Amino acid sequence: MTNNNQHTSGTVLQRGTKEYEKALGNYFNSEPVGRFPVEIHSVQSTADVAAALKRARELGVPVGVKSGGHLPSKPSLINGGILIELDKLNRAVDYDAVSGVVSFGPAVRVEEAWKATDAVGRFFPFGHAPDVALGGFCLAGGQGFSMRGWGATITNWIIQLEVVVPSGDVVIASRTQNQDVFWAARGSGQAFFGVVTRLWSRTIPKKTLYARSFVFTLFNTKSTEESIPSSSSLLMSIHLTAYANTLSEAENLLAVWDDVPEAIKSLSVDAKPTAEISWKDFFQLQHAMNPRAPDQNWGIHSVLNDPKVPRKKLIKAIKQALCDLPSRSSYGVIYMADTVDVDETDAVFSLPQKYYISTFSGWKNPELRDPIRAVMRQSYAKANTVACGMYIADFDPSPESTHSRTVPVWTDTARERFMRIREKWDPHGVFPGYKAFTK
Ligand SMILES: Cc1cc2nc3c(=O)[nH]c(=O)nc-3n(C[C@H](O)[C@H](O)[C@H](O)COP(=O)(O)OP(=O)(O)OC[C@H]3O[C@@H](n4cnc5c(N)ncnc54)[C@H](O)[C@@H]3O)c2cc1C
């Protein structure tokens, strides 16, 4: 543990200033949430983080943390609290050629991580949404297109964290140092009780990205959004990705998709064979689905399916969530992570992730918010009946939330252990995110 008495270099933004307003607008979801921190500390060093925590103690207020601001419910914005904004902290990826390990700051975006690792001929699973930050991504667990083969980023790749704990001290957490912090950080997302200021990941030699896709037309849609043409039909798109050394290896990996069932062949409107895809085009796909604009509002609902529920029952329960989309920019996703053997002795990340099923709801006209939320609440009341839990990355803890409070984000035993560790490191509840997950 190191005591943090370096020189501070960050900026403190006060409410009412232009800079403060700008920082408040720097979130993926543009919808105002009506929560205003008393100060925003834009930090550049661990000493700045410690200074922000000291200030919070002096004022007796809680702390929110923001790496990339991608969580649509913006839990980092706490009314009357302090927001620690990590955008400028360690914003680079360093590669150690001897150990093959990369280290990076929490605000490094997915696309920046790809560029930096690609430049040195290496790879680690950094996810597929280009402007998500690795801080929030890794703390929640880190799903990505390679999770099915290589596990979640936080459990299978991240080997060490640097954390400023509530006392202001800097600790290194790994499987051999401060193991309890390392266990609790990996999968606690918004409930974590410290500020992660640097992460270390192992890497493998880079390969080539290949993709294959199918598009099917389903049926005409109903929508609450005025701009959707009545003739517009719902499409189902299947995107398959392989990270491989050669085209034939990728074709082999994706060959299981060769046999399109007869019953849906007539609905096919497009099918692209396995071919190399550039990372730029790959990221562009995500941008196209989740455009970020000053008037674009987003919500997210999701479940992790209970692997014991038979497929027929599962499909019936999630159909509404995926097909009754409330607006034109909304879309449903089934992400096949196939990660069911999770080891809760290694990390709080403890729920099986066979399929991650989610709906991104998008709207521009503020009047659509309530009708859209009503549709989502109803759809997910059904989907929750076949869930073993929810990915903590998506949970909205706010009073206006339409998420169920009874769907867990960890197993009961992992939750109890997490709460004990949290109490030890943050007895005064400086980081209040855990409160949404107490029973
Ligand atoms: C369009 C889109 C695509 C997505 N794609 C994926 C995906 O491919 N795979 C996947 O796994 N998830 C994905 N997610 C979910 C995403 O990983 C989470 O929302 C994640 O929390 C975002 O991280 P962030 O740092 O950008 O967000 P933030 O809002 O900054 O962080 C979320 C919360 O995490 C905590 N936190 C963040 N950084 C730190 C830190 N350094 N120290 C302590 N606490 C911290 C804070 O409590 C904060 O409120 C996606 C989300 C969106 C909106």
Side-chain angles (χ1 to χ4, degrees), residues 27-28 64-72 74-77 86 106-107 109 126-129 131-145 189-192 194-197 199 286 290 300 331 356 360 391 393-394 431 433:
Y27 280 82
F28 163 70
V65 186
K66 174 180 169 241
S67 286
H70 244 256
L71 216 166
K74 310 186 195 178
S76 54
L77 290 178
L86 302 171
R109 304 301 199 266
F126 37 65
H128 46 250
D131 45 10
V132 164
L134 292 177
F137 170 80
C138 288
L139 279 177
Q143 303 167 334
F145 69 89
Q190 54 184 291
F192 188 53
V195 181
V196 174
T197 47
L199 305 91
Q286 185 78 44
N290 286 108
I300 186 161
Y331 62 92
Y356 162 82
F360 277 85
Y391 189 36
D394 298 337
F431 295 86

Side-chain angles (χ1 to χ4, degrees), residues 339-360:
T339 304
V340 283
D341 291 327
V342 275
D343 177 7
E344 73 174 66
T345 64
D346 180 56
V348 68
F349 184 84
S350 50
L351 293 178
Q353 301 217 355
K354 185 168 173 59
Y355 305 133
Y356 162 82
I357 296 146
S358 74
T359 311
F360 277 85

Side-chain angles (χ1 to χ4, degrees), residues 87-297:
D87 229 32
K88 300 194 180 96
L89 180 78
N90 300 327
R91 187 78 179 259
V93 180
D94 296 320
Y95 174 57
D96 176 0
V98 176
S99 62
V101 167
V102 281
S103 73
F104 46 85
V108 165
R109 304 301 199 266
V110 165
E111 191 162 11
E112 294 165 15
W114 158 68
K115 265 194 197 139
T117 46
D118 191 75
V120 293
R122 308 295 293 183
F123 170 79
F124 74 98
F126 37 65
H128 46 250
D131 45 10
V132 164
L134 292 177
F137 170 80
C138 288
L139 279 177
Q143 303 167 334
F145 69 89
S146 47
M147 187 170 170
R148 188 166 179 271
W150 296 333
T153 304
I154 196 68
T155 52
N156 289 31
W157 295 81
I158 299 295
I159 53 168
Q160 185 171 289
L161 302 169
E162 178 187 77
V163 183
V164 182
V165 292
S167 64
D169 292 329
V170 183
V171 303
I172 292 293
S174 69
R175 287 193 173 84
T176 53
Q177 292 181 74
N178 296 300
Q179 293 99 325
D180 58 348
V181 176
F182 195 59
W183 181 89
R186 291 175 305 132
S188 63
Q190 54 184 291
F192 188 53
F193 48 80
V195 181
V196 174
T197 47
R198 186 175 278 279
L199 305 91
W200 283 258
S201 176
R202 62 189 187 84
T203 63
I204 55 171
K206 79 171 180 185
K207 302 178 187 227
T208 305
L209 192 59
Y210 296 91
R212 177 179 190 181
S213 62
F214 300 90
V215 181
F216 299 92
T217 183
L218 300 185
F219 44 74
N220 284 346
T221 51
K222 293 178 280 176
S223 168
T224 52
E225 199 169 27
E226 63 281 4
S227 59
I228 194 165
S230 55
S231 59
S232 175
S233 72
L234 184 71
L235 298 177
M236 175 175 76
S237 171
I238 302 178
H239 277 273
L240 307 160
T241 315
Y243 194 55
N245 289 314
T246 61
L247 175 61
S248 65
E249 189 190 340
E251 282 171 338
N252 253 339
L253 285 167
L254 302 180
V256 68
W257 293 87
D258 285 351
D259 297 321
V260 175
E262 258 333 296
I264 62 167
K265 268 191 179 151
S266 64
L267 304 175
S268 169
V269 287
D270 191 25
K272 291 203 168 55
T274 305
E276 187 176 336
I277 181 172
S278 74
W279 279 95
K280 286 221 149 116
D281 287 348
F282 180 75
F283 289 143
Q284 189 46 41
L285 275 174
Q286 185 78 44
H287 271 312
M289 290 203 295
N290 286 108
R292 189 171 167 174
D295 57 350
Q296 180 66 50
N297 305 314

Side-chain angles (χ1 to χ4, degrees), residues 39 301 321:
E39 287 173 1
H301 285 70

